[in-house]
Amino acid sequence: MRYVVIGAGAVGGAIGGRLSQSGHDVVLVARGVHYEALRRDGLRLLTPDGTHRLPVPVADRPEAVELRPDDVLVLAVKTQDSVAALDAWAPRPVAGGGTAGDRLPLVCAQNGVENERLALRRFRRVHAMCVWLPATYLEPGEVTAPCAPFTGMLHLGRYPSGADETARRIAADLEASRFLAPVVPDVMRWKYAKLLSNVANAVDAVCGPDGGAEAAALAERARAEAITVLDAAGIDRASAAEQSAARDGKMDMRPVEGGARGGDSSWQSLVRGTGSVEADYLNGEIVLLGRLHGVPTPVNEALRRTANECARERRAPGTITAARLTEIVDTA
């Protein structure tokens, strides 16, 4: 199979880079200066086992890729960019007839739980991936992935549920590329568990990764509120014990020589000044479920709104202190 990675940032670059490094056929899809750097110099993947310069083929738009029947599309853009990407790729022709939406499997390697629903409107064969993959993309052409001995843990399954031969083949390729890749019939349980961690992204982005005890307390308040909402909605998720058993001792953060200082995906969006952030689909998912099930969500609503304001105004992380953010939450 060939992997067409749509969105070759931190997650997409790490997955595509490791797959290419282990001998699999990969095309990275990127834009702007990142595309130019990848096209000119290849992907520079920095890991605990060294710096790897990988000459991975790259494209800057769907029309630059001639799709084949054995292609797997890996969607790794932020959720706020999913609709545009899905609309661009679903109608693309596949060699031998038909379109990508009709014929090709699409894997949502993204945070949140909305991408798969968006994809299923446009693609017949959708797979969900729960991404535990600390990685950083701040400079064009360069991705840092600091975990070892495995680069990340990628639970994979058919959406909305089930496991099929395609998932098993993808998992085998990932496992040959330094990833843990369990195939599970209930992959959304793992994605909802990850969502509980991701509601803290807004705190990290707004206050910076060194926000201290006050930032940690605010993140825990957001998480506790999210747990209440998921319980009210009757949504099952993988337990902390299940997650620890799956990854502890298998993907530890290690020093990376020359690697970029890491922060979560929302922090990286603010550092790069992209103008948008995932908060509507992380904290906003909790707000949505709270409204549907009659549970107040003032903490996540305030974090969602503030993170979006910082992104729109292109403020760097840390321009709002944890104390000030707590005031914003408490007066919302």
Side-chain angles (χ1 to χ4, degrees):
M1 296 186 294
R2 181 177 68 167
Y3 293 90
V4 180
V5 182
I6 303 166
V11 168
I15 292 175
R18 282 302 203 192
L19 283 167
S20 176
Q21 188 182 25
S22 63
H24 295 93
D25 199 358
V26 175
V27 176
L28 299 178
V29 181
R31 297 180 297 180
V33 294
H34 189 40
Y35 162 75
E36 294 294 342
L38 292 170
R39 183 178 63 84
R40 182 181 62 248
D41 302 320
L43 173 66
R44 188 167 183 252
L45 181 64
L46 291 82
T47 70
D49 57 283
T51 297
H52 311 280
R53 182 71 73 176
L54 305 172
V56 188
V58 61
D60 62 346
R61 61 194 186 282
E63 293 78 11
V65 181
E66 294 185 7
L67 293 176
R68 310 187 312 214
D70 63 344
D71 283 343
V72 174
L73 304 184
V74 180
L75 187 66
V77 301
K78 299 291 195 302
T79 307
Q80 65 268 27
D81 299 319
S82 284
V83 168
L86 291 164
D87 284 346
W89 285 90
R92 294 300 303 157
V94 178
T99 66
D102 288 333
R103 295 189 62 189
L104 301 184
L106 178 111
V107 179
C108 294
Q110 301 161 285
N111 286 332
V113 295
E114 181 64 17
N115 296 288
E116 290 78 10
R117 295 182 74 248
L118 295 172
L120 202 59
R121 290 180 169 91
R122 299 158 173 87
F123 283 81
R124 291 181 187 275
R125 301 166 62 193
V126 175
H127 291 77
M129 177 181 283
C130 180
V131 178
W132 290 96
L133 174 51
T136 302
Y137 156 56
L138 298 179
E139 297 295 329
E142 180 177 297
V143 171
T144 300
C147 282
F150 292 96
T151 301
M153 183 172 72
L154 309 171
H155 282 79
L156 182 67
R158 189 73 183 257
Y159 181 80
S161 62
D164 59 11
E165 183 59 25
T166 298
R168 285 185 280 272
R169 291 179 63 195
I170 295 169
D173 288 349
L174 291 168
E175 288 174 349
S177 307
R178 304 199 187 195
F179 291 103
L180 297 165
V183 176
V184 293
D186 51 0
V187 64
M188 296 309 292
R189 286 184 70 245
W190 294 87
K191 297 204 74 166
Y192 275 104
K194 178 76 185 306
L195 179 63
L196 291 177
S197 298
N198 287 144
V199 295
N201 285 21
V203 179
D204 192 24
V206 172
C207 302
D210 301 319
E214 199 157 11
L218 193 54
E220 183 54 35
R221 287 174 61 187
R223 183 177 181 278
E225 188 177 86
I227 289 172
T228 300
V229 167
L230 294 187
D231 286 345
I235 294 174
D236 189 23
R237 63 269 183 192
S239 67
E242 287 177 275
Q243 296 171 69
S244 294
R247 70 172 183 266
D248 284 1
K250 301 169 187 172
M251 44 176 296
D252 299 324
M253 300 280 281
R254 298 185 183 177
V256 176
E257 184 176 355
R261 177 173 179 268
D264 65 40
S265 57
S266 299
W267 176 86
Q268 293 178 48
S269 292
L270 262 62
V271 169
R272 296 202 315 273
T274 61
S276 68
V277 73
E278 294 175 286
D280 282 344
Y281 300 97
L282 302 177
N283 307 93
E285 181 69 28
I286 301 304
V287 173
L288 170 62
L289 289 170
R291 290 171 178 168
L292 290 172
H293 296 278
V295 180
T297 56
V299 177
N300 280 280
E301 170 57 23
L303 293 178
R304 183 202 67 80
R305 185 172 58 250
T306 306
N308 278 323
E309 289 172 357
C310 288
R312 284 194 301 270
E313 296 169 9
R314 289 179 165 75
R315 299 187 200 174
T319 54
I320 297 177
T321 65
R324 175 57 186 144
L325 183 57
T326 302
E327 290 178 6
I328 292 171
V329 168
D330 288 340
T331 57

